[in-house]
């Protein structure tokens, strides 16, 4: 199936009893066992099936299979939020004493998780400037277990050269984990460029309507976990029947990463997604490619409008031909550059605050990827926990206004920006 078709049909097998054409929402916590033998077989992975919704649910399974198809991956695991998806991806392969090399231009929540929470667990994250992929290699040592980056950083909008970072990963036999939230799979599939694990906050464009929270991790099935340095995949897991995830899963060994994440972090820490949210994300995915076309079309129109406006000091949109990122972004983004635009108004920093308060159509809130247009001032909100040096490293200035361009009529979007700029 091609992308648009898989987005509508992927992963859904019609239930033979009810013949329900829509994906059913399985609103249940548990599933009956047919016998004690059946129960034991499910727990020991001898038979596939449902046990308890913290570990999986048939509505969730459709979402996971559909996303894996769209991403070109081998298996996906849906979770309660993008934040949980990032945390579980790291702790699924790192123990105390291990290190991760990550880009320094990350979403503020990820930055805090890496900078404050992971060190509490003894996991050190070395943050590097992703503009030069060689910086990743320079920070690798014998404790490194993974490389991590966002495709387009939030909110600096720097595009990472994924292929170059993946090659460094291959050279050192380290998996590349990519947060592709700003580039849904109709714009970019990081696995096609050598990444191994792809993460999305489903909350953004994939859900697409700002109504539900969720995250997903897709395992490319393209990494050899039998390398003994990945102890969590090679030593027997005493908490799970002595299983060695890289060796004992038969034809599922290639998806050891996704399977271990379900059986260990998800099962025991519990950031599960609700069946209702899975259903809402499936609705969002049906129109994903159509919405992304409009987000991208409106995104470039807004970037060009701002660039030509006499009150605007600077504009950052990877689709602008004079953008410092344009060459890298054009290499990866063949179907549009998405809906994120950052810019600054000339003059004092308070001009940005006045602009945001004058907006009428744009909603002032902390989210991106809604069908409706949104605006925020990152330095005083989503990234306010960063020091001034960390803000500068992540490419966030005091004047930066971040716009998430929606799919409204472009004239209404431009009129709102024009009237808010006129107030300055
Ligand atoms: C790039 C990126 N990754 C991850 C997240 C976290 O996702 P969630 O809000 O679903 O936990 C966000 C949230 O804004 C984000 O922008």
């Amino acid at each position: 199936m091609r992308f648009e078709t898989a987005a509508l049909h992927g992963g859904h097998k019609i239930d033979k009893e009810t013949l329900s054409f829509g994906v059913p929402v399985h609103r249940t916590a548990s599933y009956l066992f047919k016998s004690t033998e059946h129960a034991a077989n499910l727990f020991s992975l001898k038979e596939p099936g449902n046990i308890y919704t913290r570990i999986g649910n048939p509505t969730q399974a459709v979402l996971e299979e559909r996303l894996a198809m769209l991403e070109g991956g081998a298996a996906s695991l849906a979770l309660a939020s993008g934040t949980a998806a990032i945390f579980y991806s790291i702790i699924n392969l790192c123990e105390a004493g291990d290190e991760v090399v990550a880009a320094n231009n990350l979403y503020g929540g990820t930055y805090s998780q890496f900078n404050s929470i992971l060190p509490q667990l003894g996991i050190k994250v070395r943050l590097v400037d992703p503009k030069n992929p060689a910086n990743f290699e320079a920070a690798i040592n014998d404790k490194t277990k993974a490389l991590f980056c966002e495709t387009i950083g939030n909110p600096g909008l720097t595009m990472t050269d994924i292929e170059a970072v993946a090659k460094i990963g291959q050279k050192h036999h380290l998996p590349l984990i990519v947060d592709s939230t700003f580039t849904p799979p109709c714009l970019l599939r990081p696995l096609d460029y050598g990444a191994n694990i792809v993460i999305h906050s489903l909350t953004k464009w994939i859900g697409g309507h700002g109504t539900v929270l969720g995250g997903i991790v897709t395992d490319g099935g393209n990494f050899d976990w039998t390398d003994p340095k990945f102890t969590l995949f090679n030593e027997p897991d005493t908490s799970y029947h002595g299983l060695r995830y890289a060796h004992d899963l038969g034809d599922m060994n290639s998806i050891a990463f996704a399977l271990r994440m379900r059986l260990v972090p998800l099962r025991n820490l519990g950031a599960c997604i609700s069946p209702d949210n899975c259903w809402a994300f499936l609705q969002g995915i049906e129109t994903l490619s159509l919405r992304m076309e409009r987000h991208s079309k409106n995104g470039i129109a807004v970037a060009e409008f701002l660039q030509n406006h006499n009150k605007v000091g600077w504009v950052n949109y990877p689709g602008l031909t004079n953008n410092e990122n344009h060459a890298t972004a054009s290499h990866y983004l063949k179907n549009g550059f998405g809906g994120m635009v950052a810019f600054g108004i000339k003059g004092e920093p308070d001009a940005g605050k006045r602009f945001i308060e004058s907006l009428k159509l744009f909603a002032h809130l902390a989210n991106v990827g809604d069908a409706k247009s949104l605006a925020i001032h990152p330095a005083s909100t989503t990234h306010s926990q960063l020091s001034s040096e960390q803000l500068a490293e992540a490419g966030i200035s005091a004047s930066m206004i971040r716009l998430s361009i929606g799919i409204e009529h472009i004239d209404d979007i431009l009129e709102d920006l024009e009237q808010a700029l006129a107030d300055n």
Side-chain angles (χ1 to χ4, degrees):
M1 282 190 224
R2 287 158 187 84
F3 189 95
E4 293 78 355
T5 315
L8 291 156
H9 298 277
H12 182 204
K13 289 164 208 78
I14 304 283
D15 171 48
K16 290 201 178 70
E17 249 175 63
T18 63
L19 300 180
S20 170
F21 188 51
V23 178
V25 182
H26 291 271
R27 206 178 273 133
T28 180
S30 279
Y31 303 83
L32 286 170
F33 301 125
K34 294 173 197 160
S35 63
T36 48
E37 189 193 356
H38 178 226
N41 284 348
L42 291 178
F43 271 86
S44 62
L45 303 180
K46 283 197 190 117
E47 252 185 77
N50 301 302
I51 299 176
Y52 190 63
T53 285
R54 172 155 35 77
I55 309 168
N57 175 286
T59 314
Q60 180 180 340
V62 180
L63 173 66
E64 290 169 345
E65 201 172 326
R66 191 167 295 180
L67 231 298
M69 284 173 83
L70 298 178
E71 203 70 76
S76 296
L77 178 67
L79 295 156
S81 67
T83 302
I86 293 165
F87 183 56
Y88 283 10
S89 295
I90 302 297
I91 63 164
N92 200 34
L93 58 89
C94 286
E95 296 174 279
D98 289 341
E99 295 191 2
V100 175
V101 178
N104 64 7
N105 63 337
L106 304 170
Y107 160 61
T110 311
Y111 199 103
S112 299
Q113 189 184 114
F114 284 9
N115 212 32
S116 309
I117 312 286
L118 292 178
Q120 288 173 21
L121 307 179
I123 300 166
K124 183 179 172 91
V125 182
R126 292 182 187 271
L127 295 164
V128 299
D129 183 349
K131 281 195 197 114
N132 181 4
N135 293 337
F136 283 87
E137 184 154 34
I140 292 172
N141 61 35
D142 56 6
K143 294 180 191 155
T144 312
K145 291 287 158 61
L147 308 180
F148 184 100
C149 65
E150 292 178 3
T151 50
I152 298 181
N154 175 6
L157 307 186
T158 308
M159 176 99 215
T160 301
D161 186 349
I162 301 158
E163 218 166 6
V165 183
K167 282 207 180 100
I168 294 166
Q170 282 149 20
K171 187 169 150 199
H172 296 270
H173 198 238
L174 295 168
L176 171 60
I177 306 173
V178 175
D179 179 343
S180 194
T181 298
F182 275 31
T183 49
C186 49
L187 295 189
L188 173 63
R189 303 198 319 172
L191 299 174
D192 294 346
Y193 295 94
N196 306 102
I197 310 294
V198 180
I199 296 171
H200 281 278
S201 163
L202 294 168
T203 321
K204 318 301 178 190
W205 291 269
I206 291 180
H209 298 84
T211 48
V212 265
L213 243 97
I216 200 155
V217 180
T218 299
D219 181 345
N222 57 354
F223 192 82
D224 178 10
W225 296 103
T226 60
D227 181 343
K229 76 179 169 203
F230 298 102
T231 40
L232 294 176
F233 288 85
N234 289 282
E235 303 286 322
D237 182 351
T238 47
S239 78
Y240 210 93
H241 311 285
L243 207 63
R244 294 169 312 147
Y245 297 94
H247 302 274
D248 301 336
L249 296 170
D251 35 346
M252 290 189 294
N253 277 345
S254 64
I255 54 159
F257 188 85
L259 212 62
R260 188 184 185 281
M261 197 184 293
R262 192 186 298 278
L263 297 178
V264 186
L266 176 59
R267 182 174 184 235
N268 300 306
L269 297 174
C272 56
I273 190 166
S274 81
D276 294 76
N277 285 10
C278 293
W279 183 87
F281 289 125
L282 284 163
Q283 292 293 292
I285 290 172
E286 292 199 355
T287 56
L288 178 60
S289 57
L290 286 174
R291 284 184 286 105
M292 288 321 294
E293 269 177 45
R294 176 69 77 85
H295 280 295
S296 297
K297 202 167 147 216
N298 284 353
I300 185 76
V302 165
E304 283 170 354
F305 164 85
L306 291 172
Q307 186 164 251
N308 294 322
H309 201 287
N310 60 4
K311 294 207 171 157
V312 171
W314 59 271
V315 184
N316 187 2
Y317 181 71
L320 287 174
T321 49
N322 60 359
N323 188 275
E324 61 164 346
N325 255 299
H326 187 64
T328 315
S330 310
H331 175 69
Y332 292 104
L333 304 173
K334 306 287 186 217
N335 295 329
F337 296 91
M340 294 304 298
V341 181
F343 78 104
I345 298 174
K346 285 180 191 157
E348 16 80 68
D350 271 0
K353 287 192 191 147
R354 274 202 307 280
F355 167 84
I356 285 182
E357 271 159 23
S358 304
L359 288 166
K360 294 192 168 85
L361 179 68
F362 278 70
H364 176 207
L365 52 76
N367 198 11
V368 295
D370 195 315
K372 303 170 203 77
S373 290
L374 317 172
I376 202 165
H377 178 243
S380 62
T381 57
T382 53
H383 290 70
S384 55
Q385 71 277 35
L386 272 63
S387 67
S388 43
E389 294 82 53
Q390 290 168 334
L391 284 171
E393 271 173 23
I396 303 167
S397 62
S399 72
M400 177 191 274
I401 295 162
R402 184 186 76 184
L403 301 177
S404 174
I405 306 300
I407 61 172
E408 297 96 340
H409 194 290
I410 187 60
D411 292 348
D412 289 320
I413 293 175
L414 297 183
E415 276 169 32
D416 195 34
L417 295 173
E418 179 62 64
Q419 66 80 23
L421 282 166
D423 278 358
N424 273 280

